[in-house]
């Protein structure tokens, strides 16, 4: 069995940033395992710009952003295995992987960093009635066809779901000569970034139909059209509002699912809200020495946040290998998300493990205007932050400092909520 100090599963932006920081913290015996033939993860197919505004103060494309990290991994001579799929992980941190050259490999790691990203929800998860004809793709699959393989999935397109991938693909298909007839969104708001709604839909006169859904798919061999309808406040279609739109392609952008099959095999506790591992302030999961970061932990809006978070996971994995124990649950404070806040990452903070501050990340469950994010230490409001707008498409961050924790040594829970004026 091969032995490593730190093994990172996934060579996307999360895995790359985690590997670099672990190495910077003095751990040389690090290995990245990636199932694709190249490093960089999903960024390789995101050829639009808008990446890196926070990290590099520049607007980069996805491949350019990934390239900066890949170059660093090469410069630092961090070992990686490509075309290698991790098929098993257990709580003793034994990893089983497979590739064409070595067959099945077993690796024992002192620490593991989960960085497997997420996958798209498919049609099967939606139960849309209608025939099972060709021409229905997830937006990310269509993105791979157009940007990497050089194929056009179709000419007349309807997009279901207004998450960022759907918005980006509405623009991409338009630029490649297709007619995007509508982006249809079940909720009364888009779950995408505001800047993507403006730059991908408004700038190209693509209609966004909020509170609508696809109720039927027509077509035998190939899709010929979809019927959409308005939905009520319970998201049920309203009779009499049906509208038929002819199209040869339906793109689905209806949510991402963190890839946590390996985490479950290692008996790691998974949050029912994020579908990612429950972690403490050090991004350590419930299994000692296994850390998680990036989209496998919770779906991020910006890759800059992924890189920042993953840098911390790498640093903490290095500290763990050097003997630090983060899993001391006795003094842990529970973070509670309520009243509009959907979850928090992390879920627990042990004040003893906090060096300066902890960045708590979360999303809200609705659109709120002129509201406050309030933070309570037990029953006392510690501070609140005024927000002009809060939307489910944009991740929020709140900093809990060491000084705050020291002022409240008896604190048992920290509560995050939205308070309206
Ligand atoms: C279409 C699209 C558009 C986006 N647009 C923007 C944008 O404009 N601006 C922005 O800032 N962000 C954008 N993002 C978000 C950003 O790309 C992601 O937040 C980021 O890529 C997540 O990084 P990650 O490393 O967690 O996941 P990924 O990039 O998905 O990487 C995970 C890696 O793990 C590998 N892996 C998974 N399972 C295994 C296994 N069992 N064994 C081995 N390897 C495995 C995968 O092959 C993959 O390479 C976009 C994302 C998408 C999908």
């Amino acid at each position: 069995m091969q032995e490593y100090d730190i093994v990172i599963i996934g060579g996307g932006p999360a895995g790359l940033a985690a590997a670099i920081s672990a190495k910077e913290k003095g751990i040389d015996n690090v290995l990245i395992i990636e199932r694709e033939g190249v490093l960089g993860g999903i960024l390789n197919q995101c050829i639009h710009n808008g990446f890196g505004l926070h990290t590099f103060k520049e607007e980069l494309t996805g491949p350019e952003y990934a390239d900066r990290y890949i170059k660093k991994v090469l410069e630092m001579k961090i070992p990686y295995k490509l075309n290698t799929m991790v098929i098993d992980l257990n709580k003793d941190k034994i990893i089983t992987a497979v590739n064409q050259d070595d067959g099945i490999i077993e690796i024992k790691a002192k620490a593991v960093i989960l960085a497997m990203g997420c996958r798209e929800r498919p049609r099967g998860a939606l139960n849309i009635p209608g025939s099972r004809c060709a021409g229905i793709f997830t937006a990310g699959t269509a993105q791979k066809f157009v940007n990497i393989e050089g194929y056009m999935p179709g000419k007349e397109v309807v997009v279901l779901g207004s998450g960022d991938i759907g918005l980006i693909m509405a623009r991409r298909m338009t630029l490649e000569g297709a007619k995007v007839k509508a982006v249809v969104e079940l909720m009364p708001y888009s779950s995408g970034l505001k800047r993507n709604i403006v730059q991908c839909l408004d700038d190209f006169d693509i209609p966004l139909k909020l509170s609508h859904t696809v109720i039927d798919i027509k077509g035998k061999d190939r899709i010929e059209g979809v019927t959409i309808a308005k939905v009520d406040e319970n998201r049920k279609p309203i009779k009499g509002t049906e509208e038929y739109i002819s199209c040869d392609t339906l793109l689905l952008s209806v949510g991402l699912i963190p890839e946590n099959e390996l985490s479950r095999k290692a008996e790691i506790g998974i949050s029912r809200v994020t579908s990612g591992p429950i972690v403490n302030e050090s991004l350590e999961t419930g299994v000692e020495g296994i850390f998680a970061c990036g989209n496998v932990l919770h779906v991020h809006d910006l890759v800059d946040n992924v890189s920042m978070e993953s840098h911390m996971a790498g640093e903490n994995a290095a500290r763990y290998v050097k003997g630090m124990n983060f899993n001391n649950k006795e003094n842990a404070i529970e973070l509670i998300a309520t009243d509009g806040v959907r979850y928090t990452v992390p879920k627990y903070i042990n004040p003893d493990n906090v060096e300066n501050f902890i960045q708590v990340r979360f999303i809200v469950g609705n659109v709120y205007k002129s509201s406050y994010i309030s933070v309570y230490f037990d029953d006392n409001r510690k501070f609140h932050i005024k927000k002009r707008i809060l939307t489910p498409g944009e991740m929020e961050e709140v900093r809990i400092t060491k000084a705050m924790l020291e002022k409240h040594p008896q604190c048992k829970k920290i509560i995050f909520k939205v308070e309206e004026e």
Side-chain angles (χ1 to χ4, degrees):
M1 192 181 305
Q2 301 174 31
E3 292 194 5
Y4 282 88
D5 283 343
I6 301 179
V7 172
I8 296 149
I9 309 176
L16 296 173
I20 291 166
S21 69
K23 176 105 186 189
E24 281 170 351
K25 283 281 160 194
I27 305 292
D28 286 328
N29 194 15
V30 176
L31 174 69
I32 305 171
I33 305 181
E34 168 56 52
R35 68 182 168 196
E36 296 290 331
V38 284
L39 295 171
I42 198 76
L43 290 186
N44 289 319
Q45 66 181 63
C46 300
I47 62 168
H48 55 281
N49 59 359
F51 295 84
L53 283 168
H54 299 269
T55 312
F56 298 111
K57 311 280 175 268
E58 273 181 74
E59 226 184 322
L60 304 172
T61 63
E64 283 170 336
Y65 186 95
D67 191 52
R68 299 216 172 168
Y69 285 85
I70 296 171
K71 283 207 173 106
K72 202 140 190 214
V73 163
L74 297 177
E75 261 168 40
M76 294 174 91
K77 299 193 172 39
I78 298 175
Y80 56 88
K81 275 184 189 294
L82 298 177
N83 297 310
T84 306
M85 170 99 179
V86 176
I87 53 171
D88 194 30
L89 168 70
N90 68 24
K91 58 181 192 317
D92 298 323
K93 299 181 276 285
I94 295 174
I95 292 153
T96 309
V98 61
N99 68 29
Q100 276 194 344
D101 300 327
D102 309 313
I104 291 187
I105 329 161
E106 282 211 319
I107 301 169
K108 169 91 182 109
K110 288 186 186 149
V112 173
I113 302 177
L114 307 172
M116 293 90 75
C118 56
R119 60 169 175 268
E120 294 173 285
R121 283 177 79 206
R123 177 182 175 185
L126 295 180
N127 298 323
I128 312 173
S131 60
R132 297 181 61 81
C133 46
I136 304 168
F137 306 91
T138 63
T141 303
Q143 187 179 50
K144 190 165 181 189
F145 277 137
V146 178
N147 293 350
I148 302 218
E149 316 279 343
Y151 296 117
M152 265 300 266
K155 293 203 168 105
E156 294 197 312
V157 184
V158 171
V159 181
L160 176 60
S162 64
D164 288 314
I165 314 178
L167 301 176
I168 299 276
M169 278 314 288
R171 175 177 65 183
R172 188 81 193 106
M173 295 295 284
T174 308
L175 291 173
E176 289 297 330
K179 171 82 189 149
V180 178
K181 295 197 161 173
V183 174
V184 180
E185 168 61 56
L186 180 70
M187 302 305 285
Y189 51 80
S190 163
S191 56
L193 293 170
K194 177 77 186 152
R195 73 171 198 219
N196 281 338
I197 295 171
V198 174
Q199 293 170 8
C200 300
L201 300 190
D202 298 353
D203 288 358
F204 294 87
D205 290 328
I206 299 170
L208 171 61
K209 287 186 163 290
L210 298 173
S211 298
H212 277 74
T213 193
V214 170
I215 57 163
D216 196 19
I217 294 173
K218 191 170 165 252
K220 198 162 168 273
D221 297 327
R222 173 93 196 190
I223 182 169
E224 289 165 15
V226 294
T227 304
I228 65 166
K230 204 167 169 22
V231 296
D232 63 19
E233 60 282 4
N234 299 317
R235 297 182 222 157
K236 294 271 177 280
I238 303 170
K239 279 217 163 14
T241 63
E242 298 85 358
E243 183 188 338
Y244 180 75
I245 307 176
S246 64
C247 62
D248 62 17
T249 306
L250 174 65
L251 298 188
L252 304 175
S253 174
V254 288
L256 298 167
I257 312 167
E259 295 235 26
N260 275 298
E261 287 68 22
L262 292 173
S263 318
R264 287 194 182 88
K265 284 187 173 179
E267 298 172 39
I268 288 169
I270 302 288
S271 154
R272 275 197 286 171
V273 185
T274 60
S275 302
I278 296 169
V279 291
N280 63 18
E281 74 300 313
S282 309
L283 303 178
E284 188 184 38
T285 66
V287 175
E288 209 186 290
I290 303 188
F291 298 79
C293 55
N295 275 0
V296 80
L297 178 56
H298 57 142
V299 175
H300 291 66
D301 52 353
L302 296 178
V303 74
D304 306 71
N305 292 331
V306 169
S307 302
M308 222 187 308
E309 180 180 272
S310 308
H311 193 85
M312 184 179 150
E315 226 170 71
N316 288 335
R319 287 165 74 200
Y320 174 82
V321 168
K322 290 178 182 169
M324 178 88 184
N325 171 19
F326 298 111
N327 225 316
N328 164 14
K329 295 193 178 82
E330 264 160 44
N331 298 334
I333 299 172
E334 185 177 0
L335 272 53
I336 296 174
T338 181
D339 296 294
V341 176
R342 292 206 59 222
Y343 65 83
T344 63
V345 168
K347 175 71 182 151
Y348 296 98
I349 295 182
N350 183 338
D352 303 339
N353 298 339
V354 178
E355 276 186 300
N356 299 312
F357 63 86
I358 290 296
Q359 205 79 316
V360 178
R361 299 193 168 93
F362 58 86
I363 57 163
V364 294
N366 211 331
V367 176
Y368 299 93
K369 289 190 176 150
S370 293
S371 300
Y372 292 89
I373 292 171
S374 299
V375 179
Y376 286 71
F377 277 47
D378 291 323
D379 296 326
N380 303 315
R381 190 167 74 194
K382 178 78 187 159
F383 62 93
H384 67 175
I385 306 161
K386 176 97 188 247
K387 289 279 176 175
R388 196 178 56 77
I389 187 147
L390 290 162
T391 77
E394 314 216 358
M395 192 177 282
E396 300 296 329
E397 285 186 349
V398 168
R399 195 173 271 205
I400 302 293
T401 63
K402 178 99 181 157
M404 288 176 197
L405 295 166
E406 280 172 350
K407 264 198 189 156
H408 300 269
Q410 304 303 327
C411 178
K412 291 275 171 280
K413 51 183 194 269
I414 303 180
I415 302 162
F416 292 76
K417 54 170 99 164
V418 178
E419 290 183 322
E420 295 185 65
E421 269 184 323

